[in-house]
Amino acid sequence: MANLLMHRREALQKLAILLGGTLSLPAQAALLGEKINSIAIDIPTDQQELISELADVIMPETENPGAKKAGVGKFIVRVIQDCTAKEEQDKFLQGLQKINTLSQTTYSKSFNKLDRTQQNEIMGKIARQENDFFKGLRELTVVGFFTSQIGATQVLQYLPVPGKFQGDIPLEPSQRTWSL
């Protein structure tokens, strides 16, 4: 019976394959708990806090918990440290530096000290100027959020023991999507 059960990692790996490999390789490696980078970089605490704040701007707390509460920043730091090639790590850190530089030149404050309206404005500029950085950050935020315990159980519907398979179930108008 135990061999018939699919483990979470295996399910996520198969989901990534079903999605046609739309998740980046670092995100897939992180979800599988792998470490593909032998050269670990040290991301300073202030930059880790910046990453958490950026993720929370992308997925803010509404009636649902936000990215910061779900611990998405730690997920992103792990992906960048353990699952991203050195060249991509450098590009990511340069993107963080550009955000702080833009915040300083625009408001004379670091990004973390801006109010949400100012943060959204800076993020909009970065999305237009540094599109690849922003897309990567957004992908990691979404994957990190919906694979977190909070995202999978409080935002998505979660049923730990689903029972029998029912392939055609009418959804209620406000019913949430199911998690894995």
Side-chain angles (χ1 to χ4, degrees):
M1 181 72 177
N3 290 337
L4 297 175
L5 298 176
M6 184 180 297
H7 296 283
R8 184 170 182 251
R9 284 183 183 180
E10 185 181 351
L12 290 171
Q13 186 176 26
K14 289 183 178 186
L15 176 64
I17 291 169
L18 280 173
L19 293 174
T22 56
L23 292 178
S24 66
L25 181 60
Q28 290 180 39
L31 291 174
L32 297 174
E34 296 178 3
K35 183 176 180 177
I36 60 174
N37 188 1
S38 60
I39 304 170
I41 61 168
D42 183 36
I43 298 178
T45 304
D46 63 325
Q47 289 196 336
Q48 291 182 26
E49 291 169 359
L50 175 59
I51 292 168
S52 291
E53 195 68 32
L54 293 169
D56 207 53
V57 171
I58 292 172
M59 295 194 87
E61 185 165 336
T62 56
E63 67 274 358
N64 296 315
K68 193 181 281 184
K69 192 170 187 177
V72 172
K74 289 181 182 177
F75 173 78
I76 294 172
V77 168
R78 179 178 145 20
V79 171
I80 298 301
Q81 285 181 325
D82 296 340
C83 304
T84 304
K86 177 75 173 126
E87 181 178 313
E88 296 302 315
Q89 289 174 338
D90 291 342
K91 287 180 182 177
F92 187 83
L93 295 177
Q94 288 170 2
L96 294 177
Q97 185 59 42
K98 287 179 181 177
I99 287 175
N100 261 335
T101 300
L102 185 58
S103 297
Q104 288 290 344
T105 56
T106 306
Y107 295 108
S108 301
K109 295 179 183 174
S110 68
F111 186 83
N112 289 350
K113 300 223 185 275
L114 301 178
D115 64 38
R116 191 49 63 109
T117 302
Q118 294 168 329
Q119 288 179 335
N120 284 331
E121 182 186 327
I122 297 295
M123 285 293 278
K125 287 180 181 178
I126 287 296
R128 288 186 296 276
Q129 293 173 5
E130 303 292 330
N131 197 11
D132 289 341
F133 168 77
F134 180 75
K135 283 182 180 176
L137 179 65
R138 183 179 58 193
E139 176 197 37
L140 291 174
T141 300
V142 171
V143 170
F145 183 79
F146 286 110
T147 57
S148 71
Q149 184 176 1
I150 286 176
T153 59
Q154 295 181 23
V155 177
L156 300 174
Q157 280 195 324
Y158 179 70
L159 187 58
V161 182
K164 67 180 182 181
F165 175 76
Q166 296 175 318
D168 187 16
I169 303 172
L171 295 175
E172 300 297 324
S174 62
Q175 186 173 355
R176 296 177 289 158
T177 303
W178 290 95
S179 67
L180 291 177

